[in-house]
Amino acid sequence: MARKVGIYTRISRDDEGESLGVARQREDCERLADLRNWQAVKVYEDNDVSAFKRNVRREEFELMLTDLRAGLIDGIVAYDLDRLARKPQDLERLIEIYDDRPRLEFATVTNDVNLGTADGRTMARVMVAFANKSSHDTSRRLKRKHLELAQQGKASGGPAPYGWQKGDPEKVDQEAARHIKEAQKELLAGVRIGTIRTRWQEQGLGNPREGTKRMAHHRVTHILTNPRLVGYRTYHGEILYGEDGSPVMGDWETINTVEEWEAVCAVVAERQKSQPGRSLARTYLLSGIARCGLCKSKIRGQTNHKWQPGSKGARYKYQCSKVNGGCGKVARVGEPVDELIAQLALEEQRDRAASADVSPERRWPREQELNDLNTDIAQLIEAEKNKSISVSTLLQVLPEKERQRDELKLDRARFYKEQKQAEAKDDAVDLSLEEFFDLPIERQREIVLHSLSAVFIHPSGRGKRVFDPDLIEPVWRE
């Protein structure tokens, strides 16, 4: 009976995502298995996966070891030993299995190393040690090259980030840029990252990795706050600064202005700091906004679990609950209350916009002060280089100026955050009622709270329950 073997294929980088490299390895390995009269029963493929980097788990490699140890396969065929292992510890795990099962088969296309013999294992250890050193040397050279490219403001290769054209990473993808700016505007208006992520995943936006079931929250956050949006060059995730203390600018087209980008970053940082790990999701428009007209306690929406699609009953209601410290005596069907309040809020904002003076966008008043500080810092650094001042003198003056600069930058981000948030929240003037309810629930609540501070729901009394708008009392903001 033919021996059953597994074929292992791997390539470290597959920027195009077409799996051509592993396909070629597979063909050569299948040909070798046929020559040995072995039956290839499974292909273990780790495409676009490094065997050298730390904290990288090769899922198919681990599965292959498990199957080999369990006796589901009788050996391994690989294109080359360095496809299997570039770290000595990975090779030793494999050798341990061959120690326990001496009759296991092993073959590679490019050389004749047999892990079943002592000489073969010694040779394999030497080869992996050299492959490991080669990877270290390559990594060191690449890091130096990437730093040099970063300092020059050039891209360091790889696939284009979301927002730029796949074939030309220096050119903006206008459609993707539009989605990014729309999402940023929603974020400024109060919409959660989770809501944006869900919509993007449904629409296939954000260049999701093939095979992923759910786009990661941090990936969407990174896309919306990426320093690349304003042309800033980064290195190892941090903005790279030049010798003059200014950010190094990349040689690609930008999507945001600095003011827009800083406002978005400030909103994200503010949310992470004020409510870490806490969900801001709401289900009903007036939960926590509505209050009982009798006891003044907050009212929350409650699902009507008896409701079925097509039935005449209410899907949800606003109920004063004793569980939440209320009197439990006031309840109202949710839909007509929401529609009334939404209509009132939209009308109030249209009236306010019609009577308001349209003022041009205000600039941060301390821009010149920040520019002067940046100039002072650059001159100090240059003076130390020219030996006009000593390092000791530089370190006496520089930290205070850097502290002042950072405080000013924080103040600028806060200024534009508030300005952009106000613009985003005011953008409800032309909404119809239908368009309002098509918005994410967080955006709906922001629009209502822009006009109202609370809504009192008064008891309807006995008798026939007909919706009476006079029993719904909005409390307008001053």
Side-chain angles (χ1 to χ4, degrees):
M1 179 181 290
R3 303 281 279 167
K4 297 180 294 182
V5 296
I7 291 174
Y8 182 77
T9 62
R10 182 189 66 80
I11 194 168
S12 297
R13 288 190 61 171
D14 181 15
D15 294 338
E16 300 300 323
E18 296 180 356
S19 303
L20 298 179
V22 289
R24 289 190 293 268
Q25 291 178 30
R26 174 177 179 171
E27 290 175 5
D28 291 344
C29 290
E30 287 175 339
R31 191 177 298 114
L32 178 59
D34 287 341
L35 289 173
R36 299 286 182 97
N37 292 319
W38 296 340
Q39 180 185 2
V41 294
K42 181 171 176 56
V43 177
Y44 302 89
E45 179 184 299
D46 280 318
N47 188 45
D48 199 22
V49 179
S50 171
F52 171 72
K53 293 180 180 178
R54 292 181 180 180
N55 303 323
V56 172
R57 178 181 171 83
R58 291 186 285 160
E59 298 293 344
E60 289 294 292
F61 178 77
E62 297 297 332
L63 177 61
M64 180 189 70
L65 294 185
T66 300
D67 290 350
L68 198 62
R69 189 177 290 109
L72 299 179
I73 54 177
D74 300 318
I76 300 170
V77 178
Y79 183 79
D80 192 278
L81 188 61
D82 69 1
R83 298 303 88 198
L84 274 167
R86 275 187 173 264
K87 292 188 291 189
Q89 55 266 44
D90 285 342
L91 176 64
E92 294 304 325
R93 294 168 64 200
L94 190 59
I95 287 176
E96 183 181 335
I97 297 174
Y98 274 76
D99 265 336
D100 293 338
R101 299 185 62 202
R103 295 186 67 252
L104 288 176
E105 307 290 357
F106 184 83
T108 61
V109 174
T110 57
N111 49 57
D112 190 17
V113 175
N114 186 357
L115 293 182
T117 67
D119 290 344
R121 293 170 191 174
T122 300
M123 181 59 68
R125 289 182 174 113
V126 172
M127 293 172 67
V128 169
F130 273 99
N132 185 261
K133 182 181 183 303
S134 174
S135 293
H136 271 292
D137 293 342
T138 301
S139 176
R140 185 180 65 252
R141 290 194 298 269
L142 283 174
K143 286 179 180 178
R144 184 66 188 89
K145 175 187 174 184
H146 289 163
L147 177 58
E148 183 178 348
L149 289 173
Q151 290 169 336
Q152 296 172 358
K154 297 179 180 179
S156 55
Y162 185 66
W164 285 266
Q165 297 177 15
K166 291 184 178 179
D168 189 353
E170 295 182 1
K171 299 289 185 182
V172 168
D173 180 335
Q174 297 299 331
E175 182 67 14
R178 181 176 65 81
H179 289 299
I180 289 173
K181 299 195 78 166
E182 286 178 355
Q184 289 175 328
K185 190 174 182 180
E186 288 182 321
L187 191 66
L188 289 164
V191 177
R192 297 180 308 121
I193 291 285
T195 301
I196 297 169
R197 177 190 63 188
T198 300
R199 189 182 75 247
W200 275 19
Q201 182 141 335
E202 291 172 352
Q203 297 175 356
L205 304 178
N207 288 350
R209 276 185 172 271
E210 187 176 350
T212 54
K213 295 183 179 180
R214 189 177 185 188
M215 183 182 291
H217 186 282
H218 66 82
R219 174 166 172 76
V220 180
T221 302
H222 173 71
I223 290 174
L224 301 183
T225 60
N226 190 350
R228 199 180 202 272
L229 295 166
V230 290
Y232 290 167
R233 185 63 168 89
T234 59
Y235 184 69
H236 287 184
E238 299 290 336
I239 297 174
L240 191 65
Y241 290 88
E243 294 182 353
D244 61 353
S246 300
V248 174
M249 302 302 294
D251 53 2
W252 53 79
E253 295 179 352
T254 61
I255 292 176
N256 285 142
T257 64
V258 173
E259 294 81 8
E260 292 170 339
W261 176 76
E262 285 188 342
V264 173
C265 292
V267 167
V268 171
E270 188 178 77
R271 291 188 187 180
Q272 291 174 342
K273 183 177 180 180
S274 62
Q275 294 179 324
R278 178 181 169 188
S279 173
L280 301 176
R282 294 282 189 175
T283 305
Y284 304 104
L285 177 62
L286 299 179
S287 284
I289 300 174
R291 289 181 176 271
C292 174
L294 291 178
C295 68
K296 313 308 181 195
S297 297
K298 287 185 178 181
I299 291 179
R300 302 189 183 280
Q302 296 182 10
T303 303
N304 181 0
H305 296 289
K306 296 181 180 179
W307 181 83
Q308 296 292 330
S311 66
K312 295 182 179 180
R315 287 184 299 171
Y316 63 96
K317 62 182 178 179
Y318 292 109
Q319 171 75 56
C320 180
S321 172
K322 292 184 178 180
V323 175
N324 295 323
C327 63
K329 297 179 180 179
V330 173
R332 190 76 78 254
V333 172
E335 288 94 334
V337 178
D338 285 355
E339 290 178 9
L340 173 66
I341 294 303
Q343 189 65 53
L344 291 174
L346 291 173
E347 289 175 357
E348 189 273 340
Q349 291 178 34
R350 290 191 199 104
D351 293 342
R352 190 195 314 162
S355 59
D357 294 329
V358 179
S359 57
E361 184 181 82
R362 292 186 300 119
R363 303 294 300 173
W364 182 55
R366 303 180 70 182
E367 192 72 55
Q368 188 58 49
E369 187 179 346
L370 178 58
N371 290 339
D372 292 343
L373 263 175
N374 282 328
T375 301
D376 289 346
I377 291 171
Q379 289 175 347
L380 281 168
I381 294 172
E382 188 64 28
E384 190 278 328
K385 285 185 177 181
N386 296 333
K387 306 301 180 182
S388 301
I389 62 173
S390 66
V391 174
S392 177
T393 302
L394 175 69
L395 295 179
Q396 287 176 7
V397 181
L398 188 60
E400 177 60 22
K401 287 191 175 292
E402 288 176 331
R403 184 189 64 77
Q404 293 173 6
R405 178 199 62 191
D406 294 341
E407 285 184 357
L408 284 173
K409 288 173 70 174
L410 183 62
D411 184 69
R412 181 178 65 180
R414 191 180 299 114
F415 175 87
Y416 285 116
K417 174 187 76 78
E418 293 172 356
Q419 186 179 91
K420 298 299 179 183
Q421 277 184 316
E423 290 174 5
K425 292 176 181 178
D426 277 334
D427 191 25
V429 176
D430 298 323
L431 286 177
S432 66
L433 198 60
E434 184 178 15
E435 290 170 335
F436 172 87
F437 284 110
D438 283 339
L439 295 173
I441 188 67
E442 302 97 332
R443 181 74 180 100
Q444 296 176 26
R445 288 171 59 83
E446 286 288 347
I447 292 173
V448 168
L449 287 169
H450 200 47
S451 298
L452 302 171
S453 58
V455 175
F456 283 106
I457 299 178
H458 297 284
S460 59
R462 296 181 179 179
K464 188 176 181 181
R465 302 294 176 88
V466 178
F467 179 70
D468 183 357
D470 292 337
L471 298 177
I472 310 300
E473 179 189 353
V475 180
W476 301 99
R477 292 193 181 275
E478 296 294 336

